[in-house]
Amino acid sequence: MRVKDEINGAIVAWDDSEIGEPLVLIHGLSESRAAWQHQFHELSKRFRVISYDVRGFGESATGVGEGTPQQFARDLAGLLSKLGIERACLWGFSMGGVISMRFALDYPAMVKSLILASSSCVINNQALEFFKMRLALTSGDKADELNELNAQDAKGCVSIDQPDLIQKYVELRTSSVRDPKGYANACAAMSTLYEHPLTDELSNIKAPTLVITGDLDPYCPPKASAIIHNGICGSNLHIVHGAGHCAHWEQADEINGIALEFLSGI
């Protein structure tokens, strides 16, 4: 079922398989819910899978962006409330992992379990400059430059030599940014992790957690996932060999199996 409705002052679009225990999929920066095309159908055999376009991406409007992870967490809480879901499993990729962690900290009673894939709880100077550069391209007449940089970022997310898969992912990323203000809002939110990292708060996350990373990830390397793993007591860390940032695209069957094994044990 495909749905659009207003949540927290902005139109949000989502897909809902409707049957089973709720599992929410949260995409990364410059993506849309289409990023879960290798997971949605398979996971729907076991769960009620809900994938949504984060504020400012895909078919979801930007509204009044605050540039904070807290706003994205409130949006997720609003979506679950709209659907009458009191508690759900979350699977967040990259930026979606940050949203998932913030949500687990702000709404702990609504989280049954977490899968945090290719994500980070803190950023360094290099990452801060990464976001600043992209923020600078969201104003004025620099749309073409932003689009080109976005395409380069997409290519860097995939480590394997599969031109068709890489092109498909590039098209997904470039088509998901329809409003530069939405992209800017997300970059601003991720930039807050420089001065306000989640690291010291992670011990407050009590939900069962699986941390997944590819050993070839250039954006959120295994070290970033290790920090999350060490911060969340009792969490599990799984390093996928031969995979880059988009491990759930490159090795979809393996990642789906790892996720389902974890979720089945909750």
Side-chain angles (χ1 to χ4, degrees):
M1 179 176 67
R2 303 175 69 87
V3 185
K4 281 187 179 181
D5 207 341
E6 182 177 332
I7 295 173
N8 292 345
I11 296 298
V12 176
W14 68 89
D15 295 331
D16 184 351
S17 67
E18 299 186 278
I19 299 173
E21 183 178 354
L23 168 62
V24 184
L25 306 179
I26 311 164
H27 65 76
L29 179 70
S30 190
E31 292 185 342
S32 68
R33 65 192 192 278
W36 297 104
Q37 58 193 262
H38 302 288
Q39 282 72 45
F40 192 93
H41 177 71
E42 187 64 28
L43 296 172
S44 292
K45 297 175 183 178
R46 300 275 298 275
F47 295 89
R48 176 185 177 182
V49 180
I50 300 148
S51 60
Y52 72 103
D53 290 343
V54 171
R55 175 187 292 262
F57 294 102
E59 296 181 276
S60 290
T62 303
V64 180
E66 297 177 4
T68 66
Q70 285 84 351
Q71 183 181 38
F72 288 125
R74 288 200 305 274
D75 290 344
L76 177 53
L79 174 60
L80 293 181
S81 296
K82 176 78 69 174
L83 296 173
I85 296 172
E86 296 181 354
R87 197 163 176 247
C89 303
L90 307 181
W91 182 348
F93 165 71
S94 196
M95 179 184 76
V98 175
I99 296 171
S100 298
M101 286 183 275
R102 187 70 260 167
F103 184 84
L105 290 166
D106 294 347
Y107 305 92
M110 299 184 75
V111 180
K112 182 173 183 181
S113 66
L114 290 172
I115 299 177
L116 305 172
S118 304
S119 194
S120 181
C121 59
V122 59
I123 63 171
N124 58 18
N125 280 308
Q126 183 180 359
L128 182 63
E129 290 305 314
F130 173 96
F131 290 119
K132 284 183 176 179
M133 179 187 297
R134 284 147 186 80
L135 270 167
L137 295 178
T138 59
S139 59
D141 56 354
K142 300 179 181 179
D144 290 342
E145 293 180 60
L146 178 60
N147 195 58
E148 178 58 33
L149 188 56
N150 195 8
Q152 292 178 23
D153 290 343
K155 293 174 184 176
C157 287
V158 181
S159 67
I160 58 177
D161 185 19
Q162 288 191 15
D164 290 345
L165 184 146
I166 293 172
Q167 183 57 33
K168 196 172 183 179
Y169 187 63
V170 168
E171 291 172 357
L172 165 72
R173 296 233 343 176
T174 54
S175 65
S176 296
V177 180
R178 302 182 183 182
D179 178 5
K181 292 181 180 179
Y183 185 86
N185 181 56
C187 285
M190 295 305 102
S191 296
T192 65
L193 296 180
Y194 181 75
E195 293 188 352
H196 303 286
L198 303 179
T199 317
D200 292 340
E201 297 184 73
L202 293 181
S203 61
N204 295 320
I205 296 179
K206 306 302 181 183
T209 301
L210 170 64
V211 183
I212 303 176
T213 183
D215 64 345
L216 302 178
D217 188 344
Y219 295 121
C220 296
K223 181 180 179 180
S225 288
I227 294 173
I228 296 173
H229 167 58
N230 291 332
I232 301 177
C233 183
S235 64
N236 298 311
L237 174 63
H238 192 106
I239 299 176
V240 183
H241 296 286
H245 192 57
C246 287
H248 61 307
W249 273 56
E250 298 178 33
Q251 300 186 31
D253 290 343
E254 179 177 351
I255 295 296
N256 291 349
I258 293 168
L260 285 169
E261 181 179 4
F262 168 74
L263 293 169
S264 297
I266 301 303

